[in-house]
Amino acid sequence: MCGIVGYLGKREKKELLLDGLQELEYRGYDSAGIAIIEDDQLNNFKAVGKLANLREKTKDFHSEGFGISIGHTRWATHGKPTELNAHPHLGQYSYVVHNGIIENYQDLKAELQNDGISFLSQTDTETIVHLFEKYNKISSTPFEAFAKTIERLHGAFATLLITEAAPDTIFFAKNGSPMLIGFDADEVYFASSDTPIIGKATQVYYLEDGEYGYAKSGEVKLFDAKGARAIQKQPLATDKAMAQKDGYRFFMEKEIYEQSSVISDTMIGRVRDKEIYFEELDSAFFEGINAIKICACGTSYHAALTSGYLFERLAKIRCDVEIASEFRYKEPLLDPSTLFVTISQSGETADTLEALKMAKRAGLKSLSICNVDNSSIVRESDAVILTRAGIEKGVASTKAFATQAMVLWMLSVYLAQKRQTMSDEAKAIEITAMLQTPKSLLVTEELHGKLHRLSKRYLHGHGFFFIGRDIFYPLALEGALKLKEISYLHAEGYPAGEMKHGPIALADSKLFTIALMPKTVHYDKIKSNVEELSARDATILAISPEPFTLADDFIQTIYASHPMLEFFEMMVVTQILALEIAVRLGNDVDMPRNLAKSVTVE
Ligand code: G6P
């Protein structure tokens, strides 16, 4: 996740770029930069940290007259958030900004280094600009060089390039990552989403994957693999608040729908060639480690609980999971052969941070799984795996949880590889399933419609039990947490087999049971548990691929081949159910009462 803007025209460019980047700051904010060519004069500024730092650095600079310009706000994927790694990246006479990941950058970089080119940054992006300049030497036009460059790139990219070799032209390409072109008379805008150009451009074209081209003198030429294409412009929305939510009613809703695509960002470069890779972990990282302790709070704690099953089952390593606020004061016995893992979407949760500091004082090696680079927990940890969910605005976490669960699943398989606890066939099953995850996370209109209709029956009663077994137990906890966070109704998550040891005393028709009944994990056992509840007249909403006759309501999921695919599909169902109930109750879904997105107090 990074944000890109570009502009060709007569307006003052610095302010325009900075204002545009401000709108995209939610996509990443560990560094930012701009490059402007005006009267053949090139200016470039970069600053680490939030955009305010770049504003300060450029306060005495102004641009005048016709020119071209590009800007970027970064969410680090390759290389730390330093000024050298900030975009735009410089060749000898060209600048590039990029959002996405160039998967073959190491091969391209080796090829360019062989040609004698030295790299300033650790990024994958820098290869684009050097490749362009290499081809520009042997091409008849800079556009030909740009097209040749794009042809060499594998992976996801939205990229803009400007060069002194064509000081009136912006080159662009899109594949996988979002980018659009805005138009107003002879001015041309580029951006990762439409909010930066609302109120400026009047028409827009949303680029498709595989499209590339250039903007020059107010005109845009568009190409794809088949050749030149006409541009079908459409009118641009004028309501910015609406545009930020991409047409969804709430950020939480948008974030639920986004899960299917952000999960690919989480996997990109990490799940490939039938192996799991974590370039951020050095190869000796797990040496001497024979147990894992995970600490987290809230939703992140539920992701941690899920992985407790996976680490032991797949990587055959002991894994304990604790709530950070409990761990801190229990006087825990800590052994340096235990890896201490913290999970946090914000990276700022006080209890988790303090638990991490305690573990470090006890000499434990630490790893954080986090969505915000450069956050306190990340800075404090020996190693970090970023979840790449992009900024989550809804206080009730959805896509951050999905990406945490994904990282933990990948990490379990990675560790199984290292510890050789898994056959190649078993690993292939895990990896094949991982690659199907985006599909399991898709929200269909039919599912959303059904949950909307069904939600009206669940607005009263004396409480909800979400029940599940195995990894579906933490999912039940998370489903219950989501519901109580935004509906303010009482909900509890319970291991299904534990209901008979007390909670079943509550069962009557006003007790709503949300039963997670996957077909791949202990189906018959959970079925018996749900039957016990049904016999006591509890109202049952069953979520399962297998039709269940005793259910009062039934959401049918697909017969998936792997428990994690069922996990992700059922997760989406519980999120939308919570959302629809909260909407019917008239609650503020994105900012529920009494809660905060980042809890920096004990
Ligand atoms: C707050 C948030 C929750 C989150 C928890 C832990 O309570 O509202 O959504 O799960 O903190 O936050 P973290 O940033 O550490 O994941």
Side-chain angles (χ1 to χ4, degrees), residues 297-300 343-347 349 395 397 404 485 596-597 599:
C297 302
T299 290
S300 300
I343 307 178
S344 173
Q345 49 87 19
S346 65
T349 303
V395 166
S397 179
Q404 288 168 345
E485 282 179 319
K597 189 75 193 152
V599 181

Side-chain angles (χ1 to χ4, degrees), residues 97-352:
V97 291
H98 161 233
N99 165 210
I101 292 178
I102 307 298
E103 283 178 13
N104 60 334
Y105 87 99
Q106 274 163 326
D107 295 345
L108 296 174
K109 188 167 176 174
E111 173 188 318
L112 290 158
Q113 281 170 329
N114 247 342
D115 295 345
I117 289 165
S118 45
F119 280 69
L120 291 174
S121 77
Q122 300 157 301
T123 63
D124 51 336
T125 304
E126 199 183 337
T127 53
I128 304 176
V129 72
H130 293 308
L131 207 56
F132 167 76
E133 291 186 352
K134 171 179 168 164
Y135 284 129
N136 199 37
K137 288 188 197 134
I138 52 165
S139 302
S140 51
T141 62
F143 179 59
E144 188 186 313
F146 182 72
K148 282 183 185 152
T149 304
I150 296 308
E151 220 171 274
R152 298 285 314 276
L153 307 181
H154 299 168
F157 49 85
T159 185
L160 297 177
L161 183 142
I162 57 174
T163 173
E164 286 175 28
D168 54 357
T169 308
I170 300 181
F171 300 95
F172 63 87
K174 179 231 184 302
N175 194 45
S177 307
M179 189 152 68
L180 53 82
I181 312 176
F183 302 87
D184 183 41
D186 57 358
E187 292 176 304
V188 181
Y189 298 81
F190 293 89
S192 303
S193 79
D194 46 17
T195 41
I197 63 167
I198 288 177
K200 301 187 175 88
T202 50
Q203 287 183 300
V204 65
Y205 176 70
Y206 296 91
L207 284 159
E208 300 284 345
D209 287 345
E211 290 183 335
Y212 64 100
Y214 62 89
K216 184 179 173 181
S217 326
E219 257 204 278
V220 176
K221 298 283 183 205
L222 182 69
F223 300 82
D224 67 9
K226 292 194 206 111
R229 289 182 50 90
I231 298 183
Q232 304 289 343
K233 298 177 194 170
Q234 46 177 290
L236 179 65
T238 48
D239 181 346
K240 207 174 253 189
M242 196 65 195
Q244 276 180 337
K245 291 182 193 154
D246 281 348
Y248 292 100
R249 296 166 296 172
F250 308 98
F251 283 110
M252 182 188 175
E253 187 176 34
K254 172 176 176 249
E255 287 154 6
I256 292 172
Y257 274 76
E258 262 171 15
Q259 293 178 116
S260 169
S261 59
V262 295
I263 213 80
S264 301
D265 292 343
T266 308
M267 284 191 279
I268 217 160
R270 293 169 173 167
V271 184
R272 60 184 149 95
D273 314 328
K274 302 185 185 141
E275 292 275 325
I276 303 292
Y277 295 86
F278 281 109
E279 278 178 12
E280 45 279 82
L281 302 181
D282 89 50
S283 59
F285 188 73
F286 283 98
E287 264 169 32
I289 296 295
N290 57 29
I292 295 175
K293 161 88 75 191
I294 313 184
C295 268
C297 302
T299 290
S300 300
Y301 169 68
H302 298 152
L305 282 178
T306 308
S307 71
Y309 292 83
L310 302 178
F311 281 121
E312 299 209 346
R313 191 168 288 153
L314 304 179
K316 309 291 177 217
I317 188 163
R318 211 185 74 221
C319 177
D320 301 317
V321 178
E322 294 197 48
I323 290 187
S325 55
E326 284 301 308
F327 171 83
R328 287 178 64 184
Y329 299 104
K330 72 181 273 201
E331 299 177 28
L333 297 176
L334 296 172
D335 185 317
S337 66
T338 300
L339 175 68
F340 194 79
V341 178
T342 49
I343 307 178
S344 173
Q345 49 87 19
S346 65
E348 301 298 342
T349 303
D351 282 319
T352 311

Side-chain angles (χ1 to χ4, degrees), residues 361-390:
R361 282 196 295 274
L364 272 65
K365 201 185 256 189
S366 58
L367 168 68
S368 62
I369 294 171
C370 192
N371 199 33
V372 181
D373 199 7
N374 224 18
S375 57
S376 304
I377 289 176
V378 165
R379 289 198 309 270
E380 197 66 40
S381 303
D382 295 323
V384 54
I385 300 178
L386 294 174
T387 48
R388 305 180 185 158

Side-chain angles (χ1 to χ4, degrees), residues 368-428:
S368 62
I369 294 171
C370 192
N371 199 33
V372 181
D373 199 7
N374 224 18
S375 57
S376 304
I377 289 176
V378 165
R379 289 198 309 270
E380 197 66 40
S381 303
D382 295 323
V384 54
I385 300 178
L386 294 174
T387 48
R388 305 180 185 158
I391 292 224
E392 189 176 65
K393 287 200 175 174
V395 166
S397 179
T398 52
K399 62 176 180 167
F401 174 72
T403 53
Q404 288 168 345
M406 189 72 211
V407 163
L408 288 158
W409 179 17
M410 293 191 293
L411 191 62
S412 311
V413 176
Y414 175 83
L415 204 51
Q417 269 167 207
K418 291 238 158 234
R419 294 164 61 86
Q420 300 183 336
T421 55
M422 202 180 234
S423 67
D424 285 351
E425 294 74 36
K427 193 165 72 179

